[in-house]
Amino acid sequence: MTTPIIAVLAFDGISPFHLSVPCLVFGADRTGLGLPRFDFRVCGAEEGLIRTDAGLSILVPHGLSALDDADIVIIPSWKDLEAPLAKPLEDALGRAHRRGALIVGLCLGTFAIAAAGLLSGRKATTHWAYTEQLRALHPDVSVDADVLYVDDGDIVTSAGVAAGLDCCLHIVRARYGAEAALRLARHVVLSPHRQGGQAQFIERPVAKTANADRFTGALDAVRATPGETHSLDSVAEAAGLTRRTFTRRFQKSIGTSFGDWLTSQRVELAQRLLEATEKSMDIVAFEAGFGSATSLRQHFSARLRTSPAQYRREFSGRAGRDEGTTLALSH
């Protein structure tokens, strides 16, 4: 059976914290959570000992040849942002991209992908503090400074460390299903899934108050029951806030509108129902809070670029195949 190969690029001076993000998601045996057993490879321009920026040293067991048959290539950070890529690395990334590997740039890793010429004419993001530098160095890249991650099909880029975790979970969701991603998030005690379009930087964090605690509790109640009726007014009342104050606080703390966030929660529930049950589209739509199969199809298509029926067929078909076979990423 084919085992999915994940190649993560390490380099001299890397932050162990950044390197740990893909290691946490893909580096351990998660077969008990419904995920395949990954062939996880940490590689570098050369095999051997590298130094980290934390005073630790890491033995890198693989060279760039590990990218040649990888299904996913992840660059978890980068240094020397203005320097050109070494030719062997540029060539290795180009080969991986041409043969269809998913290329992932977490945080400053976007700079390496851009330097390899793979982001020309495409949309991408990076850590909010470096977006202007990315624009200046690579004016042919459409930089979105406001989002957590950008899924452009065969290339995915993300903002900082926490957004890198969101991005990796997004890849798990897209390739192995919403239920497997949810189990993984619970297992490693990650916060609930955040959509890529949420803001990566909140200018003024909400202060801790009694109302803030009620605000969090109100959102947790919606997360637990997304299929039930949740109006803006009813959730604002549960949070102990006026509609206007709740809307303002929600935008500041979550980075999107309440309606958009609620739709995302319902689409995720619909994904899990389609993956795990044989319920009709009408029942899935009702239990996920969409009311009708037509509404479900509209929101599903807008979020995942596919229909609920096609999603179920693809997921069911792949569930019976080899471990390494994966769903195509949604945009």
Side-chain angles (χ1 to χ4, degrees):
M1 298 178 72
T2 303
T3 301
I5 300 172
I6 316 290
V8 178
L9 184 69
F11 51 86
D12 202 52
I14 194 172
S15 160
F17 196 34
H18 286 90
L19 182 59
S20 71
V21 171
C23 292
L24 175 66
V25 176
F26 298 106
D29 183 355
R30 309 292 190 193
T31 52
L33 301 177
L35 292 170
R37 189 183 305 276
F38 297 110
D39 181 348
F40 186 78
R41 306 173 179 177
V42 176
C43 59
E46 295 180 356
E47 301 174 24
L49 204 64
I50 63 169
R51 297 167 296 174
T52 72
D53 67 357
L56 307 173
S57 294
I58 296 174
L59 184 62
V60 176
H62 301 281
L64 291 178
S65 61
L67 275 63
D68 290 339
D69 56 352
D71 298 287
I72 302 176
V73 175
I74 302 175
I75 306 177
S77 184
W78 198 239
K79 65 173 186 176
D80 301 329
L81 304 184
E82 300 190 10
L85 285 190
K87 193 65 165 56
L89 176 56
E90 181 180 348
D91 292 343
L93 288 174
R95 288 194 305 271
H97 182 247
R98 286 191 297 273
R99 65 175 176 75
L102 176 66
I103 309 297
V104 182
L106 304 180
C107 195
L108 300 183
T110 302
F111 281 81
I113 298 175
L118 303 183
L119 287 176
S120 181
R122 305 181 72 155
K123 186 178 177 182
T125 193
T126 189
H127 189 291
W128 63 266
Y130 292 86
T131 52
E132 288 305 317
Q133 187 174 0
L134 182 62
R135 286 192 181 103
L137 287 173
H138 304 284
D140 56 339
V141 179
S142 176
V143 181
D144 191 338
D146 298 324
V147 297
L148 295 176
Y149 53 85
V150 172
D151 180 349
D152 200 30
D154 55 355
I155 298 179
V156 182
T157 54
S158 84
V161 175
L165 285 168
D166 290 310
C167 180
C168 288
L169 277 178
H170 165 71
I171 292 169
V172 171
R173 282 169 55 85
R175 295 203 162 206
Y176 306 106
E179 184 61 34
L182 180 62
R183 289 195 295 265
L184 174 59
R186 287 173 176 168
H187 183 74
V188 298
V189 199
L190 290 177
S191 60
H193 174 253
R194 297 188 295 170
Q195 295 289 333
Q198 289 184 211
Q200 61 168 287
F201 176 62
I202 306 300
E203 188 69 42
R204 293 184 297 276
V206 178
K208 292 291 184 182
T209 65
N211 276 347
D213 290 339
R214 288 186 65 181
F215 174 83
T216 301
L219 297 194
D220 287 343
V222 176
R223 288 190 183 100
T225 58
E228 297 183 5
T229 300
H230 296 291
S231 69
L232 178 57
D233 289 329
S234 67
V235 180
E237 182 179 358
L241 302 170
T242 65
R243 177 190 179 104
R244 182 177 180 180
T245 301
F246 176 85
T247 299
R248 185 169 60 249
R249 180 165 292 178
F250 194 94
Q251 183 66 45
K252 287 181 178 180
S253 60
I254 305 298
T256 188
S257 70
F258 173 75
D260 186 67
W261 176 82
L262 179 57
T263 298
S264 297
Q265 302 298 310
R266 288 174 168 168
V267 168
E268 182 176 341
L269 174 57
Q271 286 180 269
R272 299 202 305 270
L273 291 170
L274 291 168
E275 293 167 13
T277 75
E278 296 298 324
K279 293 177 179 179
S280 71
M281 290 300 164
D282 287 329
I283 293 177
V284 169
F286 177 78
E287 293 189 359
F290 288 110
S292 70
T294 299
S295 179
L296 170 64
R297 285 192 293 271
Q298 290 172 343
H299 288 292
F300 215 85
S301 176
R303 300 281 168 148
L304 302 178
R305 302 295 189 270
T306 189
S307 70
Q310 182 64 25
Y311 182 86
R312 171 174 274 171
R313 284 195 297 270
E314 290 183 346
F315 190 86
S316 298
R318 284 159 175 77
R321 298 182 189 177
D322 289 350
E323 285 183 313
T325 307
T326 58
L327 284 171
L329 280 170
S330 61
H331 290 80

